[in-house]
Amino acid sequence: MKCYDFTPAPNPRRVRIFAAEKGIALPTVPINLRDGEHLSEEYRSVNPYCTVPFLVLDDGTGISEVVAICRYLEELHPTPPLLGTSPKDKALIAMWEHRAEIEGLLAVADILRNSSPAFRGRALTGSLGYDQIPALAERGRARIAVFFAELDRRLAQSEFLAGKDFSMADITAMVTVDFAGWMKHLIGTEQSNLKRWHQAVSARPSAKA
Amino acid sequence: MKCYDFTPAPNPRRVRIFAAEKGIALPTVPINLRDGEHLSEEYRSVNPYCTVPFLVLDDGTGISEVVAICRYLEELHPTPPLLGTSPKDKALIAMWEHRAEIEGLLAVADILRNSSPAFRGRALTGSLGYDQIPALAERGRARIAVFFAELDRRLAQSEFLAGKDFSMADITAMVTVDFAGWMKHLIGTEQSNLKRWHQAVSARPSAKA
C-alpha cells in the first residue's frame, strides 16, 4: 500500500493525520502540485483524476477521495476508532465530517482557487481546467465565516466536534481552520470554544503529520 | 425515528431508496420546500440547517447529511449491505459515492440553483441566502457532461458503480442522472454502458421510493 501525497495541501494532510492517530506508517510518494506533477502523463496513468491523496493497494486497486481512504484505514486498523463505534456515534461523526468538508473545506478551496493567480484556469481540483469565478471566492469568504460561527456554537456544547471523543470530523475541521488561515480568515477573538478546541487538537502529535 | 422529507428533492430520495433496499419502513414527515416550509421558525427549531433529509432519533438526536443518515441505517440494518462488507469494497463504495456527490450531484445543483428564478437568493441549501452566480450554472453544465462520460467509462468495466454489487454509490449516481434530466442533460446515445446501468437500477422497486 502506498499513498500519493503533497505535504502542504489540505486533503492529503487529512489522511496523514488519520494514519498518525492510528500509528500507521503509511508509505507516501510525493507529487509536487506546485510543479504540476499531478498533471503529468505519468501521474495520469496512476490516477486519472490527477488528485492527491490517492491510495494504491498492493493488488493495484486505486482509491481516491479522503473519506474512502480513511474508511479503508479504519477497517484495517480499527483502534483507536476515528469513525465511531456505536451506530449513533458513527452517524454523528459522518455528519460533522461531511459538514466540515462541504461547508468548510470546499468554501476555503473556493476562495483560494478562484482568487489566487496560481490557480488561474484551475478553479477545481481534477484533470480539467475550469476558469476562475471571482464571485465564488467572495461567496467562500462569507461561507467560511458562517462555518466558523457554527463550529464555535457546536464546540460550546461538545468537547470534540462529533461528541466526547476525537474523530475524523475533528481532523477535517482542524485542517479547514488551518487552511482558512492561509486565506487570512482567523478564529475570532470572541470564538472561545473554537479557540479552545483548535488549541487542543493542534497540540496532538498527529497534527504535525 | 422519523425522517423529514420532501418527495421531489434529490437528497431525500437517496435516503428513501436506501431504506427501501433494506426493507426499512422509515416514517417520514413532509416539509414542503416549494412553499418555504424548511425556512419556518418551526422547522428551524428542529433542524437549524433548514435542510432535508433530516433524521431524528427516538432520543431526540438530529442527524443531517445523507451519508450520515445512511450510515446509521446501515449499522441498524446491515442486510443487504449497501456500504460494503470487505475493507476494499467499503473503500470503493465510499469513493464512488463521494465522487457521485461532489462531481455529479453538486454540479447539477449548481445548474439548478444558479439559473432557476425559483432559487433567486437561495443558490445554496441551508438557512442562509446566497446570490445566484450565473457562471456557476454554466460550469455545472460542463461538469455534468464530464461526469456522465466518467460514469460511462466506469460502467464499461463494472456492472455497478463500485463493483459487482448494487450499493449506495449507485443510489447517488442514479439520483444524479435523474436530477440532471430535470436540467435537460440526458444520457448520450453513445453512452451505452451508462444507459444499460441506468435502466437496470431504475427497474429496481426501490427506485420508486
Side-chain angles (χ1 to χ4, degrees), chain B residues 3 9 41 55 119 121 142 145 182 202:
Chain B
C3 191
E41 279 311 308
L55 186 72
F119 288 94
W182 299 9
S202 300

Side-chain angles (χ1 to χ4, degrees), chain A residues 15-195:
Chain A
V15 169
R16 289 196 311 274
I17 295 172
F18 193 94
E21 285 282 340
K22 287 182 176 283
I24 302 169
L26 188 63
T28 57
V29 183
I31 295 291
N32 193 318
L33 305 188
R34 284 204 190 108
D35 295 348
E37 216 181 322
H38 56 306
L39 301 171
S40 66
E41 278 312 308
E42 197 186 334
Y43 191 56
R44 265 177 219 269
S45 71
V46 173
N47 173 11
Y49 309 127
C50 303
T51 50
V52 288
F54 188 74
L55 186 72
V56 178
L57 309 187
D58 292 341
D59 72 359
T61 305
I63 312 279
S64 74
E65 317 303 307
V66 173
V67 286
I69 295 171
C70 292
R71 168 62 56 195
Y72 187 76
L73 298 179
E74 179 89 355
E75 296 296 323
L76 251 58
H77 301 270
T79 308
L82 293 173
L83 297 175
T85 45
S86 73
K88 189 165 106 175
D89 285 350
K90 287 179 180 184
L92 285 169
I93 291 166
M95 167 184 158
W96 283 104
E97 206 283 322
H98 192 263
R99 289 196 67 75
E101 182 184 350
I102 303 290
E103 306 296 332
L105 195 59
L106 290 186
V108 185
D110 274 349
I111 305 172
L112 174 66
R113 302 188 76 108
N114 291 282
S115 64
S116 160
F119 289 94
R120 219 166 263 162
R122 307 219 31 88
L124 284 172
T125 59
S127 61
L128 294 160
Y130 288 101
D131 287 342
Q132 293 183 326
I133 301 173
L136 209 44
E138 209 178 300
R139 189 179 80 177
R141 292 210 172 272
R143 292 180 71 199
I144 198 65
V146 171
F147 180 65
F148 272 43
E150 179 185 346
L151 287 181
D152 190 60
R153 277 194 305 276
R154 169 62 179 170
L155 293 163
Q157 309 157 350
S158 186
E159 184 176 353
F160 293 105
L161 198 48
K164 64 178 183 26
D165 297 314
F166 179 87
S167 77
M168 178 64 191
D170 297 291
I171 295 174
T172 299
M174 175 178 66
V175 167
T176 298
V177 168
D178 292 343
F179 187 25
W182 300 9
M183 301 292 101
K184 315 278 186 231
H185 188 93
L186 305 176
I187 297 173
T189 47
E190 77 297 353
Q191 293 178 325
S192 56
N193 309 294
L194 177 51
K195 192 173 175 185

Side-chain angles (χ1 to χ4, degrees), chain B residues 113-126:
Chain B
R113 302 188 76 107
N114 290 283
S115 64
S116 161
F119 288 94
R120 219 166 263 162
R122 306 220 31 88
L124 285 172
T125 57

Side-chain angles (χ1 to χ4, degrees), chain B residues 25-47:
Chain B
L26 189 62
T28 57
V29 184
I31 295 292
N32 194 317
L33 305 188
R34 285 204 190 108
D35 295 348
E37 216 181 321
H38 56 307
L39 301 172
S40 65
E41 279 311 308
E42 196 185 336
Y43 190 57
R44 265 177 219 268
S45 71
V46 173
N47 172 12

